[in-house]
Amino acid sequence: MPKIKSLEDLLKQKESAKDKLSLRKVAENDNVITLRVAMGTCGIAAGAKETFDKLLETIEEKKLENIRVIQTGCMGYCHAEPTVEVVEPGKEPILYGKISGDKAKELIEKHILNGELLQDSIIGETHTSINE
Amino acid sequence: MSSYKYHVLICGGTGCTSSKSELIKDNLENLIKEKGLENDVQVVRTGCFGFCEQGPIVKFLPDNTFYVQVKPEDAEELVNEHIVKGRKVERLLYVEPTEKEKIDESKKMPFYKKQIRVALRNAGLINPDDIDEYIANDGYQALAKALSMTPEEVVEEMKESGLRGRGGGGFPTGLKWAFAQRAQGDIKYVVCNADEGDPGAFMDRSVLEGDPHSVIEGMAIAAYAIGARQGYVYIRAEYPLAVKRLQNAINQAKEYGLLGENIFGTDFSFDLEIRLGAGAFVCGEETALLASIEGYRGEPRTKPPFPANKGLWGKPTIINNVETFANVAPIILKGAKWFRSLGTEKSPGTKVFALAGKVNNVGLVEVPMGITLREVIFDIGGGIRGNKKFKAVQTGGPSGGCIPAEYLDTPIDFDTLTALGSMMGSGGMIVMDEETCMPDVAKFYLEFSVEESCGKCTPCRIGNVRLLETLDKITSGRATMDDLERMRILGETIKDSALCGLGQTSPNPILSTMHYFKDEYEAHVLDKSCPAGVCKNLITYKIDKEKCVGCTACARVCPVEAISGTIKNPHEIDQEKCIKCGACYATCRFGAIEKI
Ligand SMILES: Cc1cc2nc3c(=O)[nH]c(=O)nc-3n(C[C@H](O)[C@H](O)[C@H](O)COP(=O)(O)O)c2cc1C
Ligand code: SF4
Ligand code: SF4
Ligand code: SF4
Ligand code: FES
Ligand code: FES
């Protein structure tokens, strides 16, 4: 490791080490948006793992810091898997169905960044999962 | 965002480590590898989360699930359920003692709600063995900032912050630094007092174990402020984990050039070494500590001269407590004003307490000064164990005293506690319930002081032994009212005449309990009774013939066969034989045995 010889060096080191803590700091934040991906057996069979990865990938790409992706058990909408629930502080949660691959990216770009709902993908009433 | 989907934080504090947290980590890591999830899950061993009583603690992120009392064999279920299936393992969640509710996130727990973590900002969050994680959380930025200021400006900022030493006395840190800055001398030293000898205290240990770099950074800033090149951390050898983490942190800081020559490319150079203490309480006293580093017996000397003028090897020396140093970097980085926004006018900031005794939530808590004793004991501490009545809280360890219920709403700071005849001390806080005997408590602390006295001065060496003898007379029912009065006068005299802080404060537990619990002392002396039912010589066990159903359970547990009676008939205790062990009292399921 090269020596840290200036504040710039330190900040560079901080930047490269930031990833180690970002997940932990997000978790401490009260204002964080949570994306809950249903990962029951059926969810995984329908490609929820790819959805999960795509969400993370997009978040990283857009350098979003106040958002976390959590996997949950089956939310009971097997027909619409993969399902993703968007929980924003102080708002009603929105449940989306059939979010696979590129749809996941769109969800972040539209819903999270622009505040636009993906009308076609919303499924009925959301509920509070027993995991909460 | 990192590419990890989960972070699993496992407490690596001394408490959790002694209940196998290391093995939990190994098991989790092995399982995660087996399932090919090592790129998804990062397992980190952190410092203490504070909630040691519920340990070992394992926290899952980003959903913040807080698992308590985890055993190594739980690892499999945690991986299979939480990570693979995304379901919380209900049975390992914390159950709130009063409402019996399960709480899954630490943020929602009453234990954490009123806490503000400054000194413990990184404990339980970062891996203390990884300097990069400290840097990622703004580490060493305060040092960089301090080096761009003049030493005078640094001292001025510290003065303005109003930070007072967390090692017990509460002396203004900025002022101490100003003295050392002004002192003449080409060689100066910075010393960290990590001796932590108070019975029950583990605040400093937790800071060092959970975030050693915060102490190193604080010491480096102090060194720059006064013009020192060399520092020492004096730490007791009984803290092996803290020593190991600190040594590792020092090594890493050296590798990065954050300790050593020309730090941040400036002409400031600073090096740091560890000195192990043998763990004598008096070695925590600053002049004794310095003598001990120099290789002499750890005996206090008279002050002045103060260490700021004549310290280590006669050179100007700053000596501060671990927690004091841990507060320095945030003050420099965020400014004195920010610091003053926490706490009270005369005692800004936060204080770490080791909350212990008869409260539901035992653990390490950091709260803003000015919070009331009631908030700490009832809101954070969750109230008294077993729904018993609160009697008193002991603060300040052997230097402090007991504060009764009528002062529960007192805001805690250095001055209020002293005004109540107690002390902030290093932050021990022991909660006592109705079954605590106050003369007996005073005896416990006095025994400690007598044992730890270095013997250099007469008031402490001989006076404390006389005090202890008198307490013994009281608790065994042999004392007169004259003894009480003599004890009070002797206590005051020792306070005024002892050479060092140990002797000067050792009568506090007696004087404060005599002041607030006079009735209880008088009951021991005049009525020969112990109202709390603790003092063996003053209690008798009796069987209530009405209530006794003759189950014979008591007779079977009595170690000296003092209980007689036949089955289904009332039993009786032979007072001559009874050794007052209390076994029968604890055994009777019919409440037939009375303690009077
Ligand atoms: C008997 C005795 C024991 C002490 N033990 C400690 C200790 O364990 N840790 C500590 O920081 N200060 C201890 N002190 C207080 C130190 O003498 C000194 O005041 C303190 O380290 C100064 O640091 P501060 O201004 O940051 O509090 C003790 C004092 C006495 C009289
Ligand atoms: S007060 Fe006690 S510990 Fe202090 S110097 Fe005197 S004998 Fe030693
Ligand atoms: S245990 Fe209680 S009820 Fe049973 S014989 Fe003893 S006093 Fe009586
Ligand atoms: S207090 Fe102990 S010794 Fe006395 S009667 Fe009960 S069990 Fe026996
Ligand atoms: S040692 Fe684990 S929570 Fe304190
Ligand atoms: S000496 Fe204990 S209440 Fe008595």
Side-chain angles (χ1 to χ4, degrees):
Chain A
M1 157 68 210
K3 299 238 176 209
I4 293 176
K5 281 274 160 221
S6 62
L7 180 59
E8 289 71 57
D9 287 355
L10 181 72
L11 294 179
K12 243 184 265 160
Q13 189 65 25
K14 179 182 171 182
E15 195 53 39
S16 71
K18 214 179 74 188
D19 274 359
K20 292 195 177 188
L21 280 196
S22 54
L23 190 80
R24 273 174 253 170
K25 293 183 105 172
V26 165
E28 289 297 316
N29 190 336
D30 282 324
N31 262 324
V32 46
I33 302 169
T34 306
L35 304 180
R36 296 156 52 94
V37 183
M39 299 259 245
T41 319
C42 55
I44 292 174
K49 276 214 156 85
E50 289 74 33
T51 305
F52 197 99
D53 290 340
K54 193 76 184 176
L55 289 170
L56 283 182
E57 206 177 281
T58 318
I59 288 168
E60 198 167 354
E61 196 183 295
K62 311 269 177 207
K63 303 226 173 297
L64 301 179
E65 293 198 334
N66 62 334
I67 182 163
R68 61 180 181 180
V69 190
I70 290 177
Q71 70 174 22
T72 72
C74 177
M75 290 195 221
Y77 295 91
C78 308
H79 63 282
E81 297 281 15
T83 48
V84 177
E85 189 180 24
V86 182
V87 188
E88 290 176 275
K91 290 190 194 167
E92 281 293 303
I94 308 270
L95 183 66
Y96 290 117
K98 296 215 187 298
I99 302 293
S100 44
D102 287 340
K103 260 286 193 252
K105 188 168 178 178
E106 198 183 327
L107 186 150
I108 301 233
E109 285 169 343
K110 289 209 171 131
H111 184 128
I112 307 293
L113 290 175
N114 289 335
E116 250 176 74
L117 299 187
L118 279 65
Q119 293 297 353
D120 297 344
S121 306
I122 297 180
I123 33 179
E125 299 252 295
T126 53
H127 61 289
T128 319
S129 145
I130 47 156
N131 283 330
E132 258 315 285
Chain B
M1 265 298 203
S2 73
S3 48
Y4 289 114
K5 292 174 192 161
Y6 283 99
H7 282 199
V8 180
L9 308 185
I10 299 169
C11 177
T14 291
C16 291
T17 301
S18 64
S19 34
K20 299 198 184 134
S21 73
E22 205 134 4
L23 190 54
I24 302 174
K25 178 171 189 259
D26 291 346
N27 286 357
L28 283 170
E29 272 176 338
N30 289 339
L31 284 159
I32 285 165
K33 252 205 205 108
E34 247 172 56
K35 299 198 185 293
L37 292 168
E38 65 266 37
N39 293 326
D40 291 342
V41 187
Q42 189 190 30
V43 183
V44 188
R45 192 151 174 260
T46 69
C48 173
F49 287 91
F51 214 171
C52 312
E53 195 201 6
Q54 293 286 328
I57 308 265
V58 178
K59 196 168 167 180
F60 280 70
L61 300 178
D63 50 309
N64 254 334
T65 309
F66 194 87
Y67 290 118
V68 299
Q69 297 181 7
V70 179
K71 294 192 189 62
E73 55 272 24
D74 294 329
E76 191 155 3
E77 191 174 345
L78 284 172
V79 172
N80 284 336
E81 286 294 302
H82 197 121
I83 296 186
V84 177
K85 298 197 188 119
R87 288 196 293 236
K88 295 190 184 191
V89 179
E90 293 277 328
R91 69 179 177 86
L92 294 175
L93 295 178
Y94 170 68
V95 182
E96 202 275 328
T98 31
E99 306 284 329
K100 307 266 177 262
E101 243 183 320
K102 279 193 175 162
I103 305 183
D104 56 354
E105 286 189 37
S106 49
K107 269 190 278 191
K108 297 181 194 155
M109 294 175 189
F111 180 75
Y112 284 103
K113 270 192 184 151
K114 293 198 166 168
Q115 294 200 44
I116 298 178
R117 293 183 140 213
V118 178
L120 293 174
R121 61 193 176 278
N122 285 322
L125 178 74
I126 68 168
N127 174 357
D129 281 324
D130 183 352
I131 188 172
D132 282 339
E133 295 203 355
Y134 181 70
I135 290 175
N137 213 15
D138 299 339
Y140 289 106
Q141 274 183 47
L143 179 58
K145 184 172 174 194
L147 294 184
S148 71
M149 300 158 70
T150 65
E152 288 75 20
E153 284 167 347
V154 174
V155 169
E156 203 43 47
E157 193 76 33
M158 291 305 293
K159 270 193 189 163
E160 266 170 38
S161 75
L163 174 68
R164 298 172 68 171
R166 301 300 195 233
F171 189 80
T173 305
L175 205 55
K176 190 185 276 187
W177 292 19
F179 292 146
Q181 187 181 52
R182 255 183 272 138
Q184 298 298 319
D186 45 344
I187 298 179
K188 296 181 182 179
Y189 297 102
V190 172
V191 174
C192 174
N193 187 342
D195 197 55
E196 195 163 57
D198 281 25
F202 57 101
M203 296 72 58
D204 295 346
R205 187 188 73 201
S206 300
V207 171
L208 284 168
E209 282 176 1
D211 193 18
H213 287 287
S214 69
V215 178
I216 299 174
E217 189 176 3
M219 290 181 75
I221 292 169
Y224 173 72
I226 66 160
R229 289 182 53 106
Q230 180 66 43
Y232 297 96
V233 180
Y234 186 87
I235 181 170
R236 47 178 53 224
E238 290 95 323
Y239 282 181
L241 191 57
V243 172
K244 199 175 116 210
R245 298 245 169 92
L246 180 63
Q247 188 59 59
N248 183 44
I250 292 174
N251 296 346
Q252 290 184 355
K254 281 187 185 166
E255 240 168 75
Y256 273 24
L258 297 166
L259 282 176
E261 300 291 315
N262 302 104
I263 295 168
F264 282 111
T266 66
D267 49 18
F268 170 64
S269 303
F270 179 63
D271 214 336
L272 197 54
E273 279 176 43
I274 295 178
R275 286 288 179 271
L276 294 184
F281 179 59
V282 77
C283 284
E285 196 281 334
E286 51 192 13
T287 58
L289 187 150
L290 296 176
S292 174
I293 295 183
E294 290 170 7
Y296 300 106
R297 277 179 69 135
E299 281 182 359
R301 60 158 173 81
T302 43
K303 291 184 283 191
F306 289 98
N309 290 310
K310 251 180 172 330
L312 207 51
W313 293 294
K315 308 291 182 195
T317 302
I318 283 181
I319 174 161
N320 275 128
N321 165 262
V322 170
E323 192 186 327
T324 312
F325 280 126
N327 273 293
V328 171
I331 290 174
I332 296 298
L333 201 58
K334 300 184 181 182
K337 234 199 191 136
W338 162 81
F339 191 71
R340 280 197 164 278
S341 71
L342 301 166
T344 65
E345 172 66 29
K346 296 230 168 80
S347 303
T350 58
K351 177 76 192 93
V352 183
F353 289 100
L355 188 60
K358 303 289 175 56
V359 276
N360 279 315
N361 302 334
V362 165
L364 195 69
V365 305
E366 182 169 354
V367 289
M369 299 265 195
I371 193 170
T372 64
L373 287 163
R374 188 187 301 281
E375 287 174 284
V376 172
I377 296 164
F378 288 89
D379 297 347
I380 297 174
I384 310 302
R385 218 164 257 211
N387 280 326
K388 297 244 167 64
K389 240 178 82 189
F390 170 84
K391 182 163 183 178
V393 55
Q394 209 280 349
T395 70
S399 312
C402 293
I403 302 170
E406 55 191 298
Y407 296 101
L408 270 176
D409 291 309
T410 306
I412 305 169
D413 70 22
F414 287 102
D415 310 311
T416 51
L417 293 185
T418 309
L420 290 176
S422 187
M423 284 261 279
M424 177 74 80
S426 55
M429 193 179 271
I430 297 173
V431 177
M432 298 167 178
D433 68 9
E434 52 196 330
E435 291 181 357
T436 315
C437 165
M438 300 321 271
D440 190 54
V441 167
K443 207 167 117 186
F444 168 81
Y445 285 105
L446 208 71
E447 269 165 3
F448 182 84
S449 295
V450 165
E451 210 151 282
E452 297 291 335
S453 165
C454 81
K456 189 169 175 175
C457 68
T458 319
C460 172
R461 184 183 65 241
I462 300 179
N464 278 330
V465 174
R466 290 290 100 82
L467 284 180
L468 187 57
E469 284 167 3
T470 315
L471 275 174
D472 205 53
K473 271 171 95 177
I474 294 171
T475 54
S476 57
R478 293 179 287 120
T480 63
M481 288 306 279
D482 285 347
D483 285 319
L484 284 187
E485 185 54 15
R486 263 199 295 274
M487 194 164 71
R488 200 183 52 72
I489 296 170
L490 179 57
E492 300 286 358
T493 312
I494 297 174
K495 268 182 90 136
D496 291 339
S497 55
L499 176 76
C500 86
L502 192 153
Q504 286 156 9
T505 57
S506 57
N508 282 351
I510 298 186
L511 295 174
S512 81
T513 49
M514 278 179 77
H515 178 70
Y516 293 121
F517 300 94
K518 198 165 161 231
D519 293 357
E520 210 168 312
Y521 276 89
E522 288 179 357
H524 282 72
V525 174
L526 299 175
D527 313 337
K528 311 286 176 220
S529 82
C530 175
V534 172
C535 299
K536 275 192 186 176
N537 278 320
L538 304 182
I539 49 179
T540 0
Y541 290 95
K542 271 205 177 133
I543 294 179
D544 183 340
K545 290 202 157 44
E546 303 287 307
K547 288 190 188 157
C548 176
V549 300
C551 71
T552 77
C554 58
R556 275 180 277 131
V557 296
C558 178
V560 291
E561 297 182 358
I563 303 181
S564 56
T566 49
I567 190 159
K568 291 196 178 137
N569 291 310
H571 281 47
E572 210 171 343
I573 296 176
D574 179 347
Q575 298 300 338
E576 296 285 297
K577 282 192 192 162
C578 172
I579 55 164
K580 296 171 187 178
C581 70
C584 55
Y585 180 76
T587 301
C588 180
R589 287 190 290 115
F590 303 92
I593 301 187
E594 299 173 315
K595 185 159 79 168
I596 33 178

